[in-house]
Coordinates of all heavy atoms in Angstrom, one line a residue:
M120 N 65.6 -159.9 22.0 CA 64.6 -159.8 23.1 C 63.7 -158.7 22.9 O 64.1 -157.6 22.7 CB 65.3 -159.8 24.4 CG 64.4 -159.9 25.6 SD 65.1 -159.2 27.2 CE 66.4 -160.4 27.3
N121 N 62.5 -158.9 23.3 CA 61.5 -157.9 23.2 C 61.3 -157.5 24.7 O 60.5 -158.2 25.3 CB 60.2 -158.4 22.5 CG 59.1 -157.3 22.4 OD1 59.0 -156.5 23.4 ND2 58.3 -157.3 21.4
L122 N 61.7 -156.3 25.1 CA 61.7 -155.9 26.4 C 60.4 -155.7 27.0 O 60.0 -156.1 28.1 CB 62.5 -154.7 26.7 CG 62.8 -154.3 28.1 CD1 63.7 -155.4 28.7 CD2 63.7 -153.0 28.1
A123 N 59.5 -155.1 26.2 CA 58.2 -154.8 26.5 C 57.4 -156.0 26.8 O 56.5 -156.3 27.8 CB 57.3 -153.9 25.4
E124 N 57.6 -157.1 25.8 CA 56.8 -158.4 26.1 C 57.4 -159.0 27.3 O 56.5 -159.7 28.0 CB 57.1 -159.2 24.8 CG 56.4 -160.5 24.8 CD 56.6 -161.3 23.6 OE1 57.4 -160.9 22.8 OE2 56.1 -162.5 23.5
L125 N 58.6 -159.1 27.5 CA 59.2 -159.7 28.7 C 58.6 -159.0 30.0 O 58.2 -159.7 30.9 CB 60.8 -159.6 28.8 CG 61.4 -160.1 30.0 CD1 61.2 -161.7 29.9 CD2 62.9 -159.9 29.9
N126 N 58.5 -157.6 30.1 CA 57.9 -157.1 31.2 C 56.5 -157.5 31.5 O 56.1 -157.7 32.5 CB 58.1 -155.5 31.0 CG 59.4 -155.0 31.3 OD1 60.1 -155.5 32.2 ND2 59.9 -153.8 30.8
S127 N 55.8 -157.5 30.4 CA 54.4 -157.9 30.5 C 54.3 -159.4 31.0 O 53.4 -159.6 31.8 CB 53.8 -157.8 29.1 OG 52.5 -158.3 29.1
V128 N 55.0 -160.3 30.6 CA 55.0 -161.7 31.1 C 55.4 -161.7 32.5 O 54.6 -162.4 33.3 CB 55.9 -162.6 30.1 CG1 56.1 -163.8 30.8 CG2 55.4 -162.6 28.8
I129 N 56.4 -160.9 32.9 CA 56.9 -161.0 34.3 C 55.8 -160.4 35.2 O 55.5 -161.1 36.3 CB 58.2 -160.2 34.4 CG1 59.3 -161.0 33.8 CG2 58.5 -160.1 35.9 CD1 60.6 -160.2 33.7
K130 N 55.2 -159.3 34.9 CA 54.0 -158.8 35.6 C 52.9 -159.7 35.7 O 52.4 -159.8 36.8 CB 53.6 -157.5 34.9 CG 54.4 -156.3 35.4 CD 53.9 -154.9 34.7 CE 54.8 -153.9 35.0 NZ 54.7 -152.7 34.0
E131 N 52.5 -160.3 34.7 CA 51.4 -161.3 34.6 C 51.7 -162.5 35.5 O 50.9 -162.9 36.4 CB 51.1 -161.7 33.2 CG 49.9 -162.6 33.1 CD 49.6 -163.0 31.5 OE1 50.1 -162.2 30.6 OE2 49.1 -164.1 31.5
E132 N 52.9 -163.1 35.4 CA 53.2 -164.2 36.2 C 53.5 -164.0 37.6 O 53.1 -164.8 38.6 CB 54.3 -165.0 35.5 CG 54.0 -165.5 34.2 CD 52.8 -166.3 34.0 OE1 52.5 -167.2 34.9 OE2 52.1 -166.1 33.2
T133 N 53.9 -162.8 38.0 CA 54.3 -162.5 39.4 C 53.0 -162.1 40.2 O 53.0 -162.0 41.4 CB 55.4 -161.3 39.5 OG1 55.0 -160.2 38.8 CG2 56.7 -161.9 39.2
S134 N 51.9 -161.7 39.4 CA 50.7 -161.3 40.0 C 49.7 -162.6 40.0 O 48.7 -162.4 40.6 CB 50.1 -160.1 39.3 OG 49.6 -160.5 38.0
A135 N 50.1 -163.7 39.5 CA 49.2 -164.8 39.4 C 49.1 -165.4 40.9 O 50.0 -165.4 41.6 CB 49.7 -165.7 38.5
E136 N 47.9 -165.9 41.2 CA 47.7 -166.7 42.4 C 48.5 -168.0 42.6 O 48.9 -168.2 43.7 CB 46.1 -167.0 42.5 CG 45.2 -165.8 42.5 CD 45.3 -165.0 43.7 OE1 45.5 -165.7 44.8 OE2 45.3 -163.9 43.8
E137 N 48.5 -168.6 41.5 CA 49.2 -170.0 41.5 C 50.7 -169.8 41.1 O 51.2 -168.8 40.5 CB 48.6 -171.0 40.8 CG 48.4 -170.7 39.3 CD 47.3 -169.7 38.8 OE1 46.5 -169.5 39.7 OE2 47.5 -169.2 37.8
P138 N 51.6 -170.7 41.5 CA 53.0 -170.7 41.1 C 53.1 -170.8 39.6 O 52.3 -171.5 39.0 CB 53.6 -172.0 41.9 CG 52.6 -172.4 42.8 CD 51.3 -171.9 42.4
S139 N 54.1 -170.2 39.0 CA 54.3 -170.4 37.6 C 55.9 -170.2 37.3 O 56.7 -169.8 38.2 CB 53.6 -169.3 36.8 OG 54.0 -167.9 37.2
V140 N 56.2 -170.6 36.1 CA 57.6 -170.5 35.7 C 57.8 -169.9 34.4 O 56.9 -170.1 33.5 CB 58.2 -172.0 35.5 CG1 59.6 -172.0 35.0 CG2 58.1 -172.8 36.9
I141 N 58.6 -169.0 34.3 CA 59.0 -168.3 33.0 C 60.2 -169.0 32.5 O 61.3 -168.9 33.2 CB 59.2 -166.8 33.2 CG1 58.1 -166.2 33.8 CG2 59.6 -166.1 31.8 CD1 58.1 -164.7 34.2
I142 N 60.2 -169.3 31.2 CA 61.4 -170.1 30.6 C 61.8 -169.2 29.4 O 61.1 -169.0 28.5 CB 61.0 -171.5 30.1 CG1 60.6 -172.4 31.4 CG2 62.3 -172.1 29.6 CD1 60.0 -173.6 30.9
A143 N 63.1 -168.7 29.6 CA 63.6 -167.9 28.4 C 64.1 -168.9 27.3 O 64.5 -170.0 27.5 CB 64.9 -167.1 28.9
S144 N 63.8 -168.4 26.1 CA 64.0 -169.2 24.9 C 65.6 -169.3 24.6 O 66.0 -170.1 23.8 CB 63.2 -168.9 23.7 OG 63.5 -167.5 23.4
R145 N 66.3 -168.3 25.1 CA 67.7 -168.4 24.8 C 68.6 -168.0 26.0 O 68.0 -167.5 27.0 CB 68.1 -167.2 23.8 CG 67.4 -167.4 22.4 CD 67.8 -166.2 21.5 NE 67.1 -166.4 20.4 CZ 65.9 -165.8 20.0 NH1 65.3 -165.1 21.0 NH2 65.3 -165.9 18.8
P146 N 69.8 -168.6 26.1 CA 70.7 -168.3 27.2 C 71.1 -166.8 27.2 O 70.9 -166.2 26.2 CB 71.9 -169.2 26.9 CG 71.9 -169.5 25.5 CD 70.4 -169.4 25.0
C147 N 71.5 -166.5 28.4 CA 72.1 -165.1 28.6 C 73.1 -164.7 27.5 O 74.1 -165.5 27.3 CB 72.6 -164.9 30.0 SG 73.3 -163.3 30.2
V148 N 73.1 -163.6 26.9 CA 74.0 -163.2 25.9 C 75.3 -163.0 26.5 O 76.4 -162.9 25.7 CB 73.5 -161.9 25.1 CG1 72.3 -162.3 24.3 CG2 73.3 -160.8 26.1
L149 N 75.4 -162.8 27.8 CA 76.8 -162.5 28.4 C 77.5 -163.7 28.8 O 78.7 -163.7 29.2 CB 76.6 -161.7 29.7 CG 75.9 -160.2 29.5 CD1 75.7 -159.5 30.7 CD2 76.8 -159.4 28.5
L150 N 76.9 -164.9 28.5 CA 77.7 -166.1 28.9 C 78.9 -166.2 28.0 O 78.9 -165.9 26.9 CB 76.7 -167.3 28.6 CG 75.6 -167.7 29.6 CD1 74.8 -168.7 29.1 CD2 76.3 -167.9 31.0
K151 N 80.0 -166.8 28.7 CA 81.2 -167.0 27.9 C 81.0 -167.8 26.7 O 80.5 -168.9 26.8 CB 82.3 -167.6 28.9 CG 83.7 -167.5 28.5 CD 84.6 -168.0 29.7 CE 86.0 -168.0 29.1 NZ 86.9 -168.6 30.0
G152 N 81.8 -167.3 25.6 CA 81.7 -168.2 24.5 C 80.5 -167.8 23.5 O 80.5 -168.2 22.4
R153 N 79.7 -167.0 24.0 CA 78.5 -166.6 23.1 C 79.0 -165.7 22.0 O 79.7 -164.6 22.3 CB 77.4 -165.9 23.9 CG 76.7 -167.0 24.9 CD 75.5 -167.6 24.2 NE 74.5 -166.7 23.9 CZ 73.6 -166.9 22.9 NH1 73.6 -168.1 22.3 NH2 72.7 -166.1 22.6
A154 N 78.7 -165.9 20.8 CA 79.2 -165.1 19.7 C 78.4 -163.7 19.7 O 77.3 -163.7 20.2 CB 78.9 -165.6 18.3
A155 N 78.9 -162.7 19.3 CA 78.2 -161.3 19.1 C 77.0 -161.6 18.2 O 77.1 -162.3 17.2 CB 79.1 -160.3 18.6
I156 N 76.0 -160.9 18.6 CA 74.7 -160.9 17.8 C 74.8 -160.0 16.6 O 74.4 -160.3 15.5 CB 73.5 -160.6 18.7 CG1 73.3 -161.5 19.8 CG2 72.2 -160.4 17.9 CD1 72.3 -161.2 20.9
S157 N 75.4 -158.8 16.8 CA 75.5 -157.9 15.7 C 76.6 -156.9 16.0 O 77.2 -157.0 17.0 CB 74.2 -157.2 15.3 OG 74.0 -156.2 16.3
E158 N 76.7 -155.7 15.2 CA 77.6 -154.8 15.6 C 77.4 -154.1 16.8 O 76.2 -154.1 17.4 CB 77.6 -153.7 14.5 CG 78.1 -154.1 13.1 CD 79.6 -154.4 13.0 OE1 80.2 -153.5 13.6 OE2 79.9 -155.5 12.7
P159 N 78.4 -153.6 17.6 CA 78.2 -152.9 18.8 C 77.4 -151.7 18.7 O 77.4 -151.1 17.6 CB 79.6 -152.8 19.3 CG 80.5 -152.8 18.1 CD 79.8 -153.7 17.2
V160 N 76.9 -151.3 19.8 CA 76.2 -150.0 19.9 C 77.1 -148.8 20.2 O 78.1 -149.0 20.8 CB 75.0 -150.1 20.9 CG1 74.4 -148.8 21.3 CG2 73.9 -151.0 20.5
E161 N 76.7 -147.7 19.6 CA 77.4 -146.4 19.9 C 76.4 -145.4 20.4 O 75.2 -145.5 20.1 CB 78.1 -146.0 18.7 CG 79.2 -146.8 18.2 CD 79.7 -146.3 16.9 OE1 79.0 -145.8 16.0 OE2 80.9 -146.5 16.6
V162 N 76.9 -144.3 21.1 CA 76.1 -143.3 21.6 C 76.3 -142.1 20.8 O 77.4 -141.7 20.6 CB 76.4 -143.0 23.1 CG1 75.5 -141.9 23.7 CG2 76.3 -144.2 24.0
D163 N 75.2 -141.6 20.3 CA 75.2 -140.2 19.7 C 75.2 -139.1 20.8 O 74.1 -138.9 21.5 CB 74.0 -140.1 18.8 CG 73.9 -138.8 18.1 OD1 74.7 -137.9 18.4 OD2 73.0 -138.5 17.3
K164 N 76.3 -138.6 21.0 CA 76.5 -137.6 22.2 C 75.7 -136.4 22.0 O 75.2 -135.8 23.0 CB 78.0 -137.2 22.3 CG 79.0 -138.3 22.5 CD 79.0 -138.9 23.8 CE 80.0 -139.9 24.0 NZ 79.9 -140.7 25.3
E165 N 75.3 -136.0 20.8 CA 74.4 -134.9 20.5 C 72.9 -135.3 21.1 O 72.4 -134.3 21.5 CB 74.4 -134.5 19.1 CG 75.7 -134.2 18.5 CD 76.1 -132.8 19.1 OE1 75.4 -131.9 19.2 OE2 77.3 -132.7 19.4
S166 N 72.6 -136.4 20.8 CA 71.2 -136.9 21.1 C 71.0 -137.2 22.6 O 69.9 -137.2 23.2 CB 70.6 -137.9 20.3 OG 70.8 -137.5 19.0
C167 N 72.1 -137.7 23.3 CA 71.9 -138.3 24.6 C 71.7 -137.1 25.7 O 72.4 -136.1 25.7 CB 73.2 -139.0 25.1 SG 73.2 -139.6 26.8
I168 N 70.6 -137.3 26.4 CA 70.2 -136.2 27.4 C 70.6 -136.7 28.8 O 70.2 -136.1 29.8 CB 68.7 -135.9 27.4 CG1 67.9 -137.2 27.7 CG2 68.4 -135.2 26.0 CD1 66.4 -136.8 27.9
N169 N 71.4 -137.8 28.9 CA 71.9 -138.2 30.3 C 70.7 -138.6 31.3 O 70.7 -138.4 32.4 CB 72.7 -137.2 30.9 CG 73.5 -137.7 32.0 OD1 73.8 -139.0 32.2 ND2 73.9 -136.9 33.0
C170 N 69.6 -139.2 30.7 CA 68.5 -139.5 31.5 C 68.7 -140.7 32.4 O 68.2 -141.0 33.3 CB 67.3 -139.8 30.7 SG 67.4 -141.3 29.6
G171 N 69.7 -141.7 31.9 CA 70.1 -142.8 32.8 C 69.3 -144.0 32.6 O 69.6 -145.0 33.2
I172 N 68.4 -144.0 31.7 CA 67.5 -145.1 31.5 C 68.3 -146.3 31.0 O 68.1 -147.5 31.5 CB 66.3 -144.8 30.5 CG1 65.3 -143.9 31.3 CG2 65.6 -146.2 30.2 CD1 64.2 -143.3 30.4
C173 N 69.2 -146.1 30.1 CA 70.0 -147.3 29.6 C 70.8 -147.8 30.7 O 71.1 -149.0 30.7 CB 70.7 -146.9 28.3 SG 71.9 -145.5 28.6
L174 N 71.4 -146.9 31.6 CA 72.2 -147.4 32.6 C 71.5 -148.4 33.6 O 72.1 -149.3 34.1 CB 72.8 -146.2 33.4 CG 73.9 -145.4 32.6 CD1 73.7 -143.9 32.8 CD2 75.2 -146.0 32.9
N175 N 70.2 -148.1 33.8 CA 69.5 -148.9 34.6 C 69.2 -150.3 34.1 O 68.8 -151.2 34.9 CB 68.0 -148.4 34.8 CG 68.1 -147.0 35.8 OD1 69.1 -146.9 36.4 ND2 67.1 -146.2 35.6
L176 N 69.5 -150.7 32.8 CA 69.4 -152.0 32.4 C 70.5 -153.0 33.1 O 70.2 -154.2 33.1 CB 69.7 -152.0 30.9 CG 68.7 -151.6 29.9 CD1 69.2 -151.5 28.5 CD2 67.4 -152.4 30.1
G177 N 71.5 -152.4 33.6 CA 72.6 -153.2 34.1 C 73.6 -153.8 33.1 O 74.3 -154.7 33.6
C178 N 73.5 -153.4 32.0 CA 74.5 -154.0 31.0 C 75.9 -153.5 31.3 O 76.0 -152.3 31.5 CB 74.1 -153.6 29.6 SG 75.4 -154.1 28.4
P179 N 76.8 -154.3 31.5 CA 78.1 -153.9 31.8 C 78.9 -153.1 30.8 O 80.0 -152.5 31.0 CB 78.8 -155.3 32.1 CG 78.1 -156.3 31.3 CD 76.8 -155.9 31.4
A180 N 78.4 -153.1 29.5 CA 79.0 -152.3 28.5 C 78.6 -150.9 28.5 O 79.2 -150.0 27.9 CB 78.5 -152.8 27.1
I181 N 77.5 -150.5 29.4 CA 77.0 -149.1 29.3 C 77.5 -148.5 30.6 O 77.4 -149.0 31.7 CB 75.6 -149.1 29.3 CG1 75.0 -149.8 28.1 CG2 75.0 -147.7 29.2 CD1 73.5 -150.0 28.0
S182 N 78.1 -147.4 30.5 CA 78.4 -146.5 31.7 C 78.3 -145.0 31.3 O 77.8 -144.7 30.4 CB 80.0 -146.7 32.0 OG 80.8 -146.5 30.9
R183 N 78.7 -144.2 32.3 CA 78.5 -142.7 32.1 C 79.8 -142.1 31.9 O 80.8 -142.5 32.7 CB 77.7 -142.2 33.3 CG 77.3 -140.7 33.1 CD 76.5 -140.3 34.3 NE 75.0 -140.4 33.9 CZ 74.1 -141.0 34.7 NH1 74.5 -141.5 35.9 NH2 72.9 -141.0 34.4
Q184 N 80.0 -141.3 31.0 CA 81.2 -140.5 30.9 C 80.8 -139.1 30.8 O 80.2 -138.5 29.9 CB 81.9 -140.9 29.5 CG 83.2 -140.2 29.3 CD 83.9 -140.6 28.0 OE1 83.3 -140.5 26.9 NE2 85.2 -140.9 28.0
G185 N 81.2 -138.4 31.9 CA 80.8 -137.0 32.1 C 79.2 -137.0 32.2 O 78.7 -137.6 33.0
D186 N 78.6 -136.2 31.3 CA 77.2 -136.1 31.4 C 76.5 -136.8 30.3 O 75.3 -136.5 29.8 CB 76.8 -134.6 31.4 CG 77.2 -133.9 30.1 OD1 77.9 -134.5 29.4 OD2 76.8 -132.8 30.0
K187 N 77.2 -137.9 29.8 CA 76.6 -138.6 28.6 C 76.9 -140.2 29.0 O 77.7 -140.5 29.6 CB 77.4 -138.3 27.3 CG 77.3 -136.9 26.9 CD 75.9 -136.4 26.5 CE 75.9 -134.9 26.2 NZ 74.6 -134.5 25.7
A188 N 75.9 -141.0 28.3 CA 76.1 -142.4 28.4 C 77.2 -142.8 27.4 O 77.4 -142.0 26.4 CB 74.8 -143.2 27.9
Q189 N 77.9 -143.9 27.7 CA 78.9 -144.4 26.7 C 78.8 -145.9 26.6 O 78.4 -146.5 27.7 CB 80.3 -144.0 27.1 CG 80.9 -144.7 28.3 CD 82.4 -144.4 28.3 OE1 83.0 -143.6 27.6 NE2 83.0 -145.0 29.4
V190 N 79.2 -146.5 25.6 CA 79.2 -147.9 25.4 C 80.6 -148.4 25.1 O 81.2 -147.9 24.2 CB 78.2 -148.4 24.3 CG1 78.3 -149.9 24.1 CG2 76.8 -148.0 24.7
T191 N 81.1 -149.3 25.9 CA 82.4 -149.8 25.6 C 82.1 -151.0 24.6 O 81.6 -152.1 24.9 CB 83.0 -150.3 26.9 OG1 83.0 -149.4 28.0 CG2 84.4 -151.0 26.7
A192 N 82.7 -150.7 23.4 CA 82.4 -151.6 22.2 C 82.8 -153.0 22.4 O 82.1 -154.0 22.1 CB 83.1 -151.1 21.0
I193 N 83.9 -153.3 23.2 CA 84.4 -154.6 23.3 C 83.7 -155.5 24.3 O 83.5 -156.7 24.2 CB 85.8 -154.6 23.8 CG1 86.6 -155.8 23.5 CG2 85.9 -154.2 25.2 CD1 88.1 -156.0 23.8
Q194 N 82.8 -154.8 25.0 CA 81.9 -155.5 25.9 C 80.4 -155.6 25.4 O 79.6 -156.2 26.0 CB 81.7 -154.7 27.4 CG 83.0 -154.9 28.1 CD 82.8 -154.0 29.4 OE1 82.7 -153.0 29.4 NE2 82.9 -154.9 30.4
C195 N 80.1 -154.9 24.3 CA 78.9 -154.9 23.6 C 78.7 -156.0 22.6 O 79.5 -156.1 21.7 CB 78.5 -153.6 23.0 SG 77.0 -153.5 22.2
N196 N 77.8 -156.9 22.8 CA 77.4 -157.9 21.7 C 76.4 -157.6 20.8 O 76.0 -158.4 20.0 CB 77.4 -159.3 22.5 CG 76.1 -159.3 23.2 OD1 75.1 -158.4 23.1 ND2 75.9 -160.4 23.9
G197 N 75.9 -156.5 20.9 CA 74.9 -156.1 19.9 C 73.6 -156.6 20.1 O 72.7 -156.7 19.2
C198 N 73.1 -157.0 21.4 CA 71.8 -157.6 21.6 C 70.6 -156.7 21.3 O 69.6 -157.2 21.0 CB 71.9 -158.1 23.2 SG 71.6 -156.7 24.3
G199 N 71.0 -155.4 21.4 CA 69.9 -154.4 21.0 C 68.9 -154.1 22.1 O 67.9 -153.3 22.0
L200 N 69.1 -154.6 23.2 CA 68.2 -154.2 24.4 C 68.2 -152.8 24.7 O 67.0 -152.2 24.9 CB 68.7 -155.0 25.7 CG 67.7 -155.2 26.8 CD1 66.4 -155.9 26.3 CD2 68.4 -156.0 27.9
C201 N 69.3 -152.2 24.8 CA 69.3 -150.8 25.1 C 68.6 -149.8 24.1 O 68.1 -148.7 24.3 CB 70.8 -150.2 25.4 SG 71.9 -150.6 23.9
L202 N 68.7 -150.3 22.8 CA 68.0 -149.5 21.8 C 66.5 -149.5 22.1 O 65.8 -148.4 21.6 CB 68.1 -150.2 20.4 CG 69.5 -150.5 20.0 CD1 69.5 -151.2 18.6 CD2 70.4 -149.3 19.9
Q203 N 65.9 -150.4 22.8 CA 64.5 -150.3 23.0 C 64.0 -149.4 24.1 O 63.0 -149.1 24.3 CB 64.0 -151.8 23.4 CG 64.3 -152.8 22.3 CD 63.9 -154.2 22.8 OE1 62.8 -154.5 23.3 NE2 64.7 -155.1 22.5
V204 N 65.0 -149.1 25.0 CA 64.6 -148.1 26.1 C 65.1 -146.6 25.9 O 64.5 -145.8 26.7 CB 65.4 -148.6 27.4 CG1 64.8 -150.0 27.6 CG2 66.8 -148.5 27.4
C205 N 65.9 -146.4 24.9 CA 66.3 -144.9 24.7 C 65.3 -144.2 24.0 O 65.1 -144.4 22.8 CB 67.7 -144.9 24.1 SG 68.2 -143.0 23.7
N206 N 64.6 -143.2 24.7 CA 63.6 -142.5 24.0 C 64.1 -141.4 23.1 O 63.3 -140.9 22.2 CB 62.7 -141.7 25.2 CG 61.9 -142.8 25.8 OD1 61.5 -143.8 25.4 ND2 61.8 -142.5 27.2
K207 N 65.3 -141.0 23.3 CA 65.9 -140.0 22.3 C 66.6 -140.6 21.1 O 67.3 -139.9 20.3 CB 67.0 -139.3 23.1 CG 66.3 -138.4 24.2 CD 65.4 -137.3 23.6 CE 64.6 -136.6 24.6 NZ 63.6 -135.6 23.9
K208 N 66.6 -142.0 21.0 CA 67.3 -142.7 19.9 C 68.8 -142.3 19.7 O 69.3 -142.1 18.7 CB 66.5 -142.3 18.6 CG 65.0 -142.6 18.6 CD 64.5 -143.6 17.4 CE 63.1 -143.9 17.5 NZ 62.7 -144.8 18.5
A209 N 69.4 -142.1 20.9 CA 70.8 -141.8 21.0 C 71.6 -142.9 20.8 O 72.9 -142.9 20.7 CB 71.0 -141.0 22.3
L210 N 71.0 -144.2 21.0 CA 71.8 -145.4 20.9 C 71.6 -146.1 19.5 O 70.3 -146.3 19.1 CB 71.4 -146.4 22.0 CG 71.8 -145.9 23.2 CD1 71.0 -146.6 24.5 CD2 73.3 -146.0 23.7
K211 N 72.7 -146.3 18.7 CA 72.4 -147.0 17.4 C 73.5 -148.0 17.2 O 74.7 -148.0 17.8 CB 72.5 -145.8 16.4 CG 71.4 -144.9 16.5 CD 71.3 -143.9 15.3 CE 70.1 -143.1 15.3 NZ 70.3 -141.7 15.4
K212 N 73.4 -148.9 16.3 CA 74.3 -149.9 15.9 C 75.4 -149.2 15.2 O 75.0 -148.2 14.4 CB 73.7 -151.0 15.0 CG 72.6 -151.9 15.8 CD 73.2 -153.0 16.6 CE 72.2 -153.7 17.4 NZ 71.4 -154.7 16.7
R213 N 76.6 -149.6 15.4 CA 77.7 -149.1 14.7 C 77.4 -149.2 13.2 O 77.0 -150.0 12.6 CB 79.0 -149.8 15.0 CG 80.3 -149.2 14.3 CD 81.5 -150.0 14.8 NE 81.9 -149.7 16.1 CZ 82.9 -150.2 16.7 NH1 83.6 -151.1 16.1 NH2 83.1 -149.8 17.9
G214 N 77.7 -148.0 12.5 CA 77.6 -147.9 11.1 C 76.1 -147.4 10.7 O 75.8 -147.4 9.6
E215 N 75.3 -147.1 11.6 CA 73.9 -146.7 11.4 C 73.6 -145.3 11.5 O 72.6 -144.9 12.0 CB 72.8 -147.7 12.1 CG 72.8 -149.0 11.6 CD 71.8 -150.0 12.3 OE1 71.1 -149.4 13.2 OE2 71.6 -151.0 11.9
G216 N 74.7 -144.5 11.4 CA 74.3 -143.1 11.5 C 74.8 -142.2 12.5 O 74.4 -141.1 12.8
N217 N 75.7 -142.8 13.5 CA 76.2 -141.9 14.6 C 77.4 -141.3 14.4 O 78.2 -141.7 13.5 CB 76.3 -142.9 15.8 CG 75.1 -142.9 16.7 OD1 74.2 -142.2 16.6 ND2 75.1 -143.9 17.6
A218 N 77.8 -140.3 15.2 CA 79.1 -139.6 15.1 C 80.2 -140.4 15.6 O 79.9 -141.4 16.4 CB 79.0 -138.4 15.8
Ligands
SF4_11 S1 68.7 -143.8 27.4 FE1 69.4 -142.6 25.7 S2 69.3 -140.5 26.3 FE2 69.2 -141.6 28.1 S3 71.3 -141.8 28.9 FE3 71.0 -143.6 27.7 S4 71.8 -142.9 25.6 FE4 71.4 -141.1 26.8
SF4_12 S1 73.3 -153.7 22.7 FE1 73.1 -152.4 24.5 S2 72.3 -153.8 26.0 FE2 73.0 -155.0 24.4 S3 75.2 -155.5 25.0 FE3 75.3 -153.7 23.7 S4 75.3 -151.9 25.1 FE4 74.6 -153.7 26.3

């Protein structure tokens, strides 16, 4: 999912004068039985500044542990949404260079 594109479409359609419908091209990744998209995400604790932006996504895999974000791997299906919002690049797919 391209988060910036989705936000743009929602803003455009909610400000339109006439009624409109937004149709997502794929079902929610959290639906039961959906296969993982890719490797789960991990948090680079050195890079995380605890800004909380990733927590605001509402993904159940992301929580706060002390003063850092954390991702519970078993709940993460690798959708990549959180990677698009972390300005510090503290979130990475497993095996792509995190501690
Ligand atoms: S968005 Fe990035 S820097 Fe901010 S809390 Fe999440 S992982 Fe940490
Ligand atoms: S990639 Fe990020 S947003 Fe997607 S399920 Fe995993 S932790 Fe949640």
Side-chain angles (χ1 to χ4, degrees):
M120 176 199 301
N121 182 322
L122 194 58
E124 184 181 358
L125 178 64
N126 278 334
S127 170
V128 169
I129 290 172
K130 275 184 190 155
E131 185 178 331
E132 297 307 321
T133 54
S134 63
E136 295 287 324
E137 60 283 343
S139 62
V140 175
I141 301 170
I142 300 173
S144 60
R145 295 184 185 88
C147 175
V148 294
L149 297 179
L150 287 175
K151 193 175 177 187
R153 295 269 299 159
I156 294 169
S157 74
E158 289 295 308
V160 163
E161 295 176 325
V162 179
D163 177 357
K164 303 285 185 190
E165 297 294 317
S166 302
C167 176
I168 60 167
N169 195 24
C170 67
I172 292 173
C173 60
L174 288 143
N175 289 339
L176 286 173
C178 172
I181 307 174
S182 60
R183 188 173 268 130
Q184 183 181 46
D186 62 353
K187 303 290 178 182
Q189 75 166 0
V190 173
T191 304
I193 198 166
Q194 291 182 292
C195 172
N196 66 7
C198 74
L200 197 57
C201 56
L202 304 179
Q203 297 178 49
V204 301
C205 179
N206 295 325
K207 292 297 174 183
K208 309 235 178 286
L210 296 161
K211 295 192 173 115
K212 295 273 173 80
R213 183 178 283 179
E215 290 184 357
N217 272 342

